[in-house]
Amino acid sequence: MKYIITGDFQGQNITRTAYSDFQAFTLIGQLGQEGITDISMKAVNEAELNNILPEEKQSSQGLARMRTAHQAADYFKQLDPETSFTEYHINRLIKTGVLPVFKSGNKRLINLDKLIQYLNSEIREQEPASKDYGKIRRVGD
């Protein structure tokens, strides 16, 4: 379950997203200390969350979307049920140091936005560099 927390600060609407009960109540406490009034919290599921806060707006709220490798793989599976991108591949990226992790207790958390950015850059880099790619040519050439 995800939570949308809203409040009012000097006439501006403030919105934050929390991904657990603990994080939600911590955010409410922080917002209260910062002088934000009219704080409310709404529990939503993942589909409603994407409609309320698009991906670009979620990452710009100041909270990184931190996930475990399993949760990140599930995220991609929800977007594309036939994807071949697996939890194993994410763990390989972590072990090789390509993808930085944040350790929280026994969990290794990754920034989902950084993973998406990495995957987008990898796709662009894998395009053939020359027009001779895939053509038969002499060995000495």
Side-chain angles (χ1 to χ4, degrees), residues 113-132:
D113 296 318
K114 296 279 185 191
L115 175 59
I116 293 169
Q117 182 182 15
Y118 169 77
L119 293 173
N120 286 334
S121 68
E122 281 295 305
I123 290 170
R124 278 188 241 113
E125 291 175 8
Q126 288 181 359
E127 294 174 357
S130 78
K131 293 181 181 179
D132 293 335

PDB file of all heavy atoms in Angstrom, residues 113-132:
ATOM      1  N   ASP A 113      14.682   5.193 -10.282  1.00  0.00           N
ATOM      2  CA  ASP A 113      14.873   6.157 -11.362  1.00  0.00           C
ATOM      3  C   ASP A 113      16.263   6.028 -11.983  1.00  0.00           C
ATOM      4  O   ASP A 113      16.418   6.133 -13.195  1.00  0.00           O
ATOM      5  CB  ASP A 113      14.658   7.576 -10.850  1.00  0.00           C
ATOM      6  CG  ASP A 113      13.222   7.793 -10.389  1.00  0.00           C
ATOM      7  OD1 ASP A 113      12.304   7.329 -11.092  1.00  0.00           O
ATOM      8  OD2 ASP A 113      13.034   8.401  -9.326  1.00  0.00           O
ATOM      9  N   LYS A 114      17.283   5.762 -11.158  1.00  0.00           N
ATOM     10  CA  LYS A 114      18.649   5.568 -11.669  1.00  0.00           C
ATOM     11  C   LYS A 114      18.732   4.297 -12.504  1.00  0.00           C
ATOM     12  O   LYS A 114      19.417   4.258 -13.525  1.00  0.00           O
ATOM     13  CB  LYS A 114      19.652   5.489 -10.518  1.00  0.00           C
ATOM     14  CG  LYS A 114      19.763   6.745  -9.716  1.00  0.00           C
ATOM     15  CD  LYS A 114      20.656   7.726 -10.404  1.00  0.00           C
ATOM     16  CE  LYS A 114      20.831   8.924  -9.476  1.00  0.00           C
ATOM     17  NZ  LYS A 114      21.464  10.023 -10.138  1.00  0.00           N
ATOM     18  N   LEU A 115      18.026   3.250 -12.091  1.00  0.00           N
ATOM     19  CA  LEU A 115      18.001   2.000 -12.855  1.00  0.00           C
ATOM     20  C   LEU A 115      17.363   2.223 -14.223  1.00  0.00           C
ATOM     21  O   LEU A 115      17.891   1.780 -15.246  1.00  0.00           O
ATOM     22  CB  LEU A 115      17.251   0.907 -12.093  1.00  0.00           C
ATOM     23  CG  LEU A 115      17.052  -0.420 -12.820  1.00  0.00           C
ATOM     24  CD1 LEU A 115      18.382  -1.047 -13.209  1.00  0.00           C
ATOM     25  CD2 LEU A 115      16.242  -1.373 -11.965  1.00  0.00           C
ATOM     26  N   ILE A 116      16.252   2.931 -14.244  1.00  0.00           N
ATOM     27  CA  ILE A 116      15.577   3.219 -15.513  1.00  0.00           C
ATOM     28  C   ILE A 116      16.484   4.056 -16.408  1.00  0.00           C
ATOM     29  O   ILE A 116      16.602   3.801 -17.610  1.00  0.00           O
ATOM     30  CB  ILE A 116      14.231   3.919 -15.256  1.00  0.00           C
ATOM     31  CG1 ILE A 116      13.264   2.951 -14.567  1.00  0.00           C
ATOM     32  CG2 ILE A 116      13.635   4.462 -16.551  1.00  0.00           C
ATOM     33  CD1 ILE A 116      12.010   3.594 -14.034  1.00  0.00           C
ATOM     34  N   GLN A 117      17.153   5.053 -15.824  1.00  0.00           N
ATOM     35  CA  GLN A 117      18.077   5.898 -16.581  1.00  0.00           C
ATOM     36  C   GLN A 117      19.221   5.057 -17.152  1.00  0.00           C
ATOM     37  O   GLN A 117      19.599   5.227 -18.310  1.00  0.00           O
ATOM     38  CB  GLN A 117      18.615   6.992 -15.664  1.00  0.00           C
ATOM     39  CG  GLN A 117      19.537   7.973 -16.327  1.00  0.00           C
ATOM     40  CD  GLN A 117      20.059   9.005 -15.343  1.00  0.00           C
ATOM     41  OE1 GLN A 117      19.968   8.843 -14.130  1.00  0.00           O
ATOM     42  NE2 GLN A 117      20.613  10.069 -15.862  1.00  0.00           N
ATOM     43  N   TYR A 118      19.770   4.149 -16.362  1.00  0.00           N
ATOM     44  CA  TYR A 118      20.847   3.273 -16.825  1.00  0.00           C
ATOM     45  C   TYR A 118      20.367   2.405 -17.989  1.00  0.00           C
ATOM     46  O   TYR A 118      21.053   2.277 -18.998  1.00  0.00           O
ATOM     47  CB  TYR A 118      21.354   2.390 -15.680  1.00  0.00           C
ATOM     48  CG  TYR A 118      22.268   1.291 -16.160  1.00  0.00           C
ATOM     49  CD1 TYR A 118      23.577   1.562 -16.501  1.00  0.00           C
ATOM     50  CD2 TYR A 118      21.802  -0.012 -16.298  1.00  0.00           C
ATOM     51  CE1 TYR A 118      24.420   0.565 -16.962  1.00  0.00           C
ATOM     52  CE2 TYR A 118      22.632  -1.011 -16.750  1.00  0.00           C
ATOM     53  CZ  TYR A 118      23.942  -0.720 -17.078  1.00  0.00           C
ATOM     54  OH  TYR A 118      24.759  -1.711 -17.549  1.00  0.00           O
ATOM     55  N   LEU A 119      19.182   1.814 -17.849  1.00  0.00           N
ATOM     56  CA  LEU A 119      18.666   0.948 -18.912  1.00  0.00           C
ATOM     57  C   LEU A 119      18.432   1.728 -20.193  1.00  0.00           C
ATOM     58  O   LEU A 119      18.717   1.243 -21.287  1.00  0.00           O
ATOM     59  CB  LEU A 119      17.384   0.259 -18.453  1.00  0.00           C
ATOM     60  CG  LEU A 119      17.555  -0.756 -17.331  1.00  0.00           C
ATOM     61  CD1 LEU A 119      16.204  -1.245 -16.855  1.00  0.00           C
ATOM     62  CD2 LEU A 119      18.428  -1.907 -17.766  1.00  0.00           C
ATOM     63  N   ASN A 120      17.921   2.942 -20.095  1.00  0.00           N
ATOM     64  CA  ASN A 120      17.714   3.766 -21.280  1.00  0.00           C
ATOM     65  C   ASN A 120      19.029   4.105 -21.963  1.00  0.00           C
ATOM     66  O   ASN A 120      19.112   4.098 -23.186  1.00  0.00           O
ATOM     67  CB  ASN A 120      16.963   5.049 -20.920  1.00  0.00           C
ATOM     68  CG  ASN A 120      15.503   4.796 -20.651  1.00  0.00           C
ATOM     69  OD1 ASN A 120      14.920   3.839 -21.148  1.00  0.00           O
ATOM     70  ND2 ASN A 120      14.892   5.645 -19.850  1.00  0.00           N
ATOM     71  N   SER A 121      20.084   4.380 -21.208  1.00  0.00           N
ATOM     72  CA  SER A 121      21.382   4.699 -21.802  1.00  0.00           C
ATOM     73  C   SER A 121      22.000   3.462 -22.437  1.00  0.00           C
ATOM     74  O   SER A 121      22.652   3.553 -23.468  1.00  0.00           O
ATOM     75  CB  SER A 121      22.321   5.308 -20.767  1.00  0.00           C
ATOM     76  OG  SER A 121      22.673   4.349 -19.797  1.00  0.00           O
ATOM     77  N   GLU A 122      21.814   2.281 -21.846  1.00  0.00           N
ATOM     78  CA  GLU A 122      22.349   1.042 -22.399  1.00  0.00           C
ATOM     79  C   GLU A 122      21.705   0.714 -23.740  1.00  0.00           C
ATOM     80  O   GLU A 122      22.368   0.262 -24.657  1.00  0.00           O
ATOM     81  CB  GLU A 122      22.127  -0.129 -21.441  1.00  0.00           C
ATOM     82  CG  GLU A 122      23.111  -0.191 -20.316  1.00  0.00           C
ATOM     83  CD  GLU A 122      24.524  -0.462 -20.810  1.00  0.00           C
ATOM     84  OE1 GLU A 122      24.734  -1.459 -21.514  1.00  0.00           O
ATOM     85  OE2 GLU A 122      25.401   0.344 -20.478  1.00  0.00           O
ATOM     86  N   ILE A 123      20.421   0.972 -23.866  1.00  0.00           N
ATOM     87  CA  ILE A 123      19.717   0.672 -25.116  1.00  0.00           C
ATOM     88  C   ILE A 123      20.265   1.540 -26.241  1.00  0.00           C
ATOM     89  O   ILE A 123      20.503   1.076 -27.345  1.00  0.00           O
ATOM     90  CB  ILE A 123      18.194   0.864 -24.942  1.00  0.00           C
ATOM     91  CG1 ILE A 123      17.644  -0.225 -24.031  1.00  0.00           C
ATOM     92  CG2 ILE A 123      17.485   0.865 -26.286  1.00  0.00           C
ATOM     93  CD1 ILE A 123      16.217  -0.022 -23.586  1.00  0.00           C
ATOM     94  N   ARG A 124      20.501   2.814 -25.963  1.00  0.00           N
ATOM     95  CA  ARG A 124      21.029   3.712 -26.989  1.00  0.00           C
ATOM     96  C   ARG A 124      22.447   3.332 -27.391  1.00  0.00           C
ATOM     97  O   ARG A 124      22.821   3.462 -28.532  1.00  0.00           O
ATOM     98  CB  ARG A 124      21.004   5.159 -26.490  1.00  0.00           C
ATOM     99  CG  ARG A 124      19.646   5.771 -26.656  1.00  0.00           C
ATOM    100  CD  ARG A 124      19.664   7.249 -26.344  1.00  0.00           C
ATOM    101  NE  ARG A 124      18.753   7.424 -25.220  1.00  0.00           N
ATOM    102  CZ  ARG A 124      19.090   7.780 -24.006  1.00  0.00           C
ATOM    103  NH1 ARG A 124      20.321   8.056 -23.711  1.00  0.00           N
ATOM    104  NH2 ARG A 124      18.202   7.888 -23.061  1.00  0.00           N
ATOM    105  N   GLU A 125      23.267   2.864 -26.450  1.00  0.00           N
ATOM    106  CA  GLU A 125      24.655   2.521 -26.740  1.00  0.00           C
ATOM    107  C   GLU A 125      24.788   1.228 -27.529  1.00  0.00           C
ATOM    108  O   GLU A 125      25.803   0.992 -28.150  1.00  0.00           O
ATOM    109  CB  GLU A 125      25.450   2.407 -25.442  1.00  0.00           C
ATOM    110  CG  GLU A 125      25.646   3.737 -24.762  1.00  0.00           C
ATOM    111  CD  GLU A 125      26.329   3.607 -23.412  1.00  0.00           C
ATOM    112  OE1 GLU A 125      26.774   2.484 -23.084  1.00  0.00           O
ATOM    113  OE2 GLU A 125      26.404   4.608 -22.701  1.00  0.00           O
ATOM    114  N   GLN A 126      23.787   0.371 -27.551  1.00  0.00           N
ATOM    115  CA  GLN A 126      23.891  -0.919 -28.218  1.00  0.00           C
ATOM    116  C   GLN A 126      23.523  -0.862 -29.698  1.00  0.00           C
ATOM    117  O   GLN A 126      23.560  -1.863 -30.371  1.00  0.00           O
ATOM    118  CB  GLN A 126      23.008  -1.939 -27.513  1.00  0.00           C
ATOM    119  CG  GLN A 126      23.545  -2.347 -26.179  1.00  0.00           C
ATOM    120  CD  GLN A 126      22.675  -3.388 -25.500  1.00  0.00           C
ATOM    121  OE1 GLN A 126      21.653  -3.790 -26.035  1.00  0.00           O
ATOM    122  NE2 GLN A 126      23.079  -3.817 -24.324  1.00  0.00           N
ATOM    123  N   GLU A 127      23.183   0.310 -30.204  1.00  0.00           N
ATOM    124  CA  GLU A 127      22.884   0.425 -31.623  1.00  0.00           C
ATOM    125  C   GLU A 127      24.158   0.193 -32.430  1.00  0.00           C
ATOM    126  O   GLU A 127      25.247   0.577 -31.995  1.00  0.00           O
ATOM    127  CB  GLU A 127      22.297   1.812 -31.918  1.00  0.00           C
ATOM    128  CG  GLU A 127      20.950   2.017 -31.258  1.00  0.00           C
ATOM    129  CD  GLU A 127      20.435   3.432 -31.428  1.00  0.00           C
ATOM    130  OE1 GLU A 127      21.154   4.261 -32.009  1.00  0.00           O
ATOM    131  OE2 GLU A 127      19.325   3.692 -30.975  1.00  0.00           O
ATOM    132  N   PRO A 128      24.071  -0.422 -33.608  1.00  0.00           N
ATOM    133  CA  PRO A 128      25.270  -0.696 -34.412  1.00  0.00           C
ATOM    134  C   PRO A 128      26.026   0.584 -34.740  1.00  0.00           C
ATOM    135  O   PRO A 128      25.435   1.590 -35.096  1.00  0.00           O
ATOM    136  CB  PRO A 128      24.727  -1.341 -35.683  1.00  0.00           C
ATOM    137  CG  PRO A 128      23.357  -1.803 -35.343  1.00  0.00           C
ATOM    138  CD  PRO A 128      22.876  -0.958 -34.225  1.00  0.00           C
ATOM    139  N   ALA A 129      27.360   0.527 -34.614  1.00  0.00           N
ATOM    140  CA  ALA A 129      28.182   1.706 -34.835  1.00  0.00           C
ATOM    141  C   ALA A 129      28.458   1.948 -36.312  1.00  0.00           C
ATOM    142  O   ALA A 129      28.652   3.075 -36.729  1.00  0.00           O
ATOM    143  CB  ALA A 129      29.500   1.563 -34.080  1.00  0.00           C
ATOM    144  N   SER A 130      28.510   0.908 -37.139  1.00  0.00           N
ATOM    145  CA  SER A 130      28.800   1.108 -38.553  1.00  0.00           C
ATOM    146  C   SER A 130      27.711   0.479 -39.411  1.00  0.00           C
ATOM    147  O   SER A 130      26.962  -0.376 -38.978  1.00  0.00           O
ATOM    148  CB  SER A 130      30.156   0.493 -38.900  1.00  0.00           C
ATOM    149  OG  SER A 130      30.035  -0.898 -39.020  1.00  0.00           O
ATOM    150  N   LYS A 131      27.678   0.910 -40.669  1.00  0.00           N
ATOM    151  CA  LYS A 131      26.675   0.388 -41.601  1.00  0.00           C
ATOM    152  C   LYS A 131      27.061  -0.995 -42.117  1.00  0.00           C
ATOM    153  O   LYS A 131      26.259  -1.677 -42.703  1.00  0.00           O
ATOM    154  CB  LYS A 131      26.498   1.360 -42.761  1.00  0.00           C
ATOM    155  CG  LYS A 131      25.886   2.660 -42.330  1.00  0.00           C
ATOM    156  CD  LYS A 131      25.708   3.595 -43.482  1.00  0.00           C
ATOM    157  CE  LYS A 131      25.116   4.905 -42.993  1.00  0.00           C
ATOM    158  NZ  LYS A 131      24.951   5.866 -44.055  1.00  0.00           N
ATOM    159  N   ASP A 132      28.336  -1.406 -41.891  1.00  0.00           N
ATOM    160  CA  ASP A 132      28.801  -2.717 -42.337  1.00  0.00           C
ATOM    161  C   ASP A 132      28.398  -3.823 -41.380  1.00  0.00           C
ATOM    162  O   ASP A 132      28.656  -4.986 -41.625  1.00  0.00           O
ATOM    163  CB  ASP A 132      30.329  -2.711 -42.482  1.00  0.00           C
ATOM    164  CG  ASP A 132      30.778  -1.808 -43.619  1.00  0.00           C
ATOM    165  OD1 ASP A 132      29.973  -1.583 -44.540  1.00  0.00           O
ATOM    166  OD2 ASP A 132      31.925  -1.333 -43.562  1.00  0.00           O
TER     167      ASP A 132
END
